[in-house]
């Protein structure tokens, strides 16, 4: 028997409202997934959607690196990381590492709402991966 797809959800501070609204819009599709998120993002998504979200550390404290490790271990089927391109991030090496690992392991990666919609549209409908 298969398993539910695992989706990682991450958002920079200025994109957290966007990811919460996105997850509310796609709550039904996300309910069929195992969700993993960085600290505050995961807390906000869980509170808004009432979905179970496994929370990692916050991004600046190593959460991006934790998710990258799970991608490398084959545990994550897709990543939605809403990036704020207009703001410098002190943990930029971790961010770039996560993006690199997604590309290395051919894991779908959305960094804006338009591509996030495509990742959600590509989720299996009513069947496990």
């Amino acid at each position: 028997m298969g398993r539910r797809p695992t989706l990682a959800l991450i958002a920079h501070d200025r994109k957290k409202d966007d990811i919460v609204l996105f997850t509310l819009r796609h709550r039904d599709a996300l309910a069929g997934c195992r969700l993993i998120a960085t600290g505050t993002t995961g807390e906000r998504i869980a509170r808004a959607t009432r979905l179970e979200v496994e929370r990692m550390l916050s991004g600046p404290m190593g959460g991006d690196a934790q998710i990258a490790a799970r991608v490398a271990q084959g545990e994550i089927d897709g990543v939605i990381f809403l990036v704020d391109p207009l703001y410098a991030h002190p943990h930029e090496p971790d961010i770039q590492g996560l993006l690199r690992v997604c590309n290395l392991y051919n894991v779908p990666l959305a960094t804006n709402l338009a591509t996030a919609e495509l990742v959600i549209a590509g989720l299996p409908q009513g069947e496990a991966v």
Side-chain angles (χ1 to χ4, degrees), residues 11-22 44 82:
H12 284 145
D13 288 345
R14 295 180 184 174
K15 298 292 183 175
K16 289 193 190 318
D17 290 342
D18 291 342
I19 203 161
V20 168
L21 291 173
F22 176 84
R44 290 192 55 189
L82 298 188

Side-chain angles (χ1 to χ4, degrees), residues 1-5 127-129:
M1 182 162 199
R3 63 174 177 81
R4 297 185 311 164
E127 60 188 62
V129 176

Side-chain angles (χ1 to χ4, degrees), residues 62-98:
D64 299 333
Q66 287 179 304
I67 290 175
R70 294 234 181 142
V71 169
Q73 293 169 333
E75 298 176 14
I76 295 180
D77 302 299
V79 176
I80 295 175
F81 187 168
L82 298 188
V83 173
D84 180 357
L86 300 177
Y87 179 73
H89 304 282
H91 60 292
E92 189 66 32
D94 289 346
I95 295 166
Q96 291 304 312
L98 173 58

Side-chain angles (χ1 to χ4, degrees), residues 38-114:
T38 50
T40 307
T41 301
E43 178 184 343
R44 290 192 55 189
I45 290 168
R47 190 173 352 129
T49 63
R50 303 212 187 284
L51 293 172
E52 183 178 327
V53 180
E54 181 183 353
R55 291 175 54 209
M56 302 285 104
L57 297 170
S58 70
M61 300 303 291
D64 299 333
Q66 287 179 304
I67 290 175
R70 294 234 181 142
V71 169
Q73 293 169 333
E75 298 176 14
I76 295 180
D77 302 299
V79 176
I80 295 175
F81 187 168
L82 298 188
V83 173
D84 180 357
L86 300 177
Y87 179 73
H89 304 282
H91 60 292
E92 189 66 32
D94 289 346
I95 295 166
Q96 291 304 312
L98 173 58
L99 303 180
R100 190 177 323 44
V101 167
C102 287
N103 286 322
L104 179 64
Y105 290 95
N106 204 32
V107 171
L109 168 67
T111 59
N112 59 53
L113 288 170

